[in-house]
Amino acid sequence: MLLPNERVEIVRYCRRMQADGLTVGSSGNLSVRSGNRFAITPSGVAFEDLTAASICVVDLNGNTVEEGLTPSSEVRMHTRVYARTDAVAVVHTHPLYATTLSTVVDELPAVHYKLALLGGPVRVAPYAAYGSLELADSCVRAMEGRFGAILQNHGATTYGESLAKAYNRSLYLEWLCRLYYQARLLGEPSMLPAEEVERAARKLGSHGQTVLDPLPMARPWTTGLRRGRDDNGTGRE
């Protein structure tokens, strides 16, 4: 069996995804790279039914290299992220709040200093059909200078130097989306300046308990454009 340790790790994190509010049913997918191959969840299998033998292994072009189940329909997205970044793991989720915001915003702005863990405000990639090359390309363009992207009318994707880091970034991204959503119910949230989030990135990187390293902060930042909203965010045009 190829990549046995990576398979076991993927199954372990899949068991957490529903409890952590990152997915529903069998939606979402995870992968871990080792050399010129990566292990990835199969298509259409409930996470509670996964075993190490269920996990697929493909090359960096997305071609299956070991007999077994059909790889996730989003294998193209994973190959694109590996090709364009130094990712060791990729986590694609369908979380409620990130997906909700994807329908009304162009970017998750700096509503909290923990956004530093994603590299700055998180962009929303334009919609494309699931499993398509267009979606894969849209995702990696939105990730430029970041460690994640929100996918319009779809979900979210994060990556990291390990599956633990990629997964924790997904957790933080969903928490930040929920925070922004709830703040918007009360009014117009205040936003942190770029230099404050950069300072938070440096402090988080030196924090002894964090799973994540300090991240490079990409510039310039926008201010959280909202598609289809008026200036005070209370209605649609």
Side-chain angles (χ1 to χ4, degrees):
M1 179 188 292
L2 296 172
L3 308 187
N5 295 334
E6 289 79 3
R7 291 169 182 252
V8 169
E9 188 179 26
I10 287 173
V11 171
R12 181 162 61 90
Y13 276 94
C14 283
R15 297 272 194 265
R16 293 183 50 184
M17 286 187 73
Q18 285 185 323
D20 287 338
L22 294 180
T23 192
V24 60
S26 62
S27 63
N29 36 82
L30 294 77
S31 71
V32 180
R33 177 177 177 175
S34 179
N36 60 359
R37 297 169 177 164
F38 62 92
I40 186 169
T41 45
S43 178
V45 179
F47 289 151
E48 61 267 25
D49 296 332
L50 286 175
T51 65
S54 306
I55 304 303
C56 307
V57 177
V58 301
D59 64 23
L60 294 179
N61 293 316
N63 300 310
T64 302
V65 297
E66 189 173 53
E67 282 191 29
L69 300 175
T70 301
S72 166
S73 59
E74 298 294 0
V75 69
R76 286 175 168 173
M77 184 188 299
H78 291 252
T79 62
R80 278 294 196 268
V81 175
Y82 289 126
R84 295 283 295 275
T85 72
D86 59 357
V88 173
V90 178
V91 176
H92 172 59
T93 60
H94 290 187
L96 179 60
Y97 287 93
T99 306
T100 299
L101 289 183
S102 80
T103 68
V104 294
V105 307
D106 293 319
E107 179 183 85
L108 173 66
V111 69
H112 191 279
Y113 69 85
K114 286 289 189 180
L115 203 69
L117 298 175
L118 279 302
V122 180
R123 306 179 190 94
V124 177
Y127 178 80
Y130 81 90
S132 67
L133 185 57
E134 291 78 11
L135 176 61
D137 287 339
S138 179
C139 177
V140 295
R141 282 195 298 269
M143 279 183 173
E144 185 175 354
R146 301 291 186 267
F147 289 89
I150 300 170
L151 311 178
Q152 185 182 351
N153 298 88
H154 186 147
T157 300
T158 60
Y159 74 89
E161 309 91 304
S162 67
L163 185 52
K165 290 185 178 184
Y167 190 87
N168 280 347
R169 285 176 177 136
S170 287
L171 288 176
Y172 274 112
L173 178 55
E174 176 64 354
W175 181 83
L176 288 160
C177 287
R178 183 173 182 178
L179 171 65
Y180 182 60
Y181 171 89
Q182 293 184 167
R184 290 283 297 174
L185 295 178
L186 301 175
E188 185 66 30
S190 61
M191 298 300 161
L192 297 175
E195 57 268 22
E196 184 58 33
V197 185
E198 290 175 350
R199 181 165 68 171
R202 292 191 293 270
K203 293 182 69 174
L204 288 168
S206 63
H207 194 292
Q209 301 301 314
T210 186
V211 180
L212 301 176
D213 295 328
L215 310 181
M217 308 304 292
R219 290 180 176 175
W221 286 8
T222 58
T223 56
L225 302 174
R226 297 167 187 82
R227 287 197 305 272
R229 290 185 179 272
D230 59 23
D231 289 343
N232 62 20
T234 58
R236 300 192 63 82
E237 293 178 350

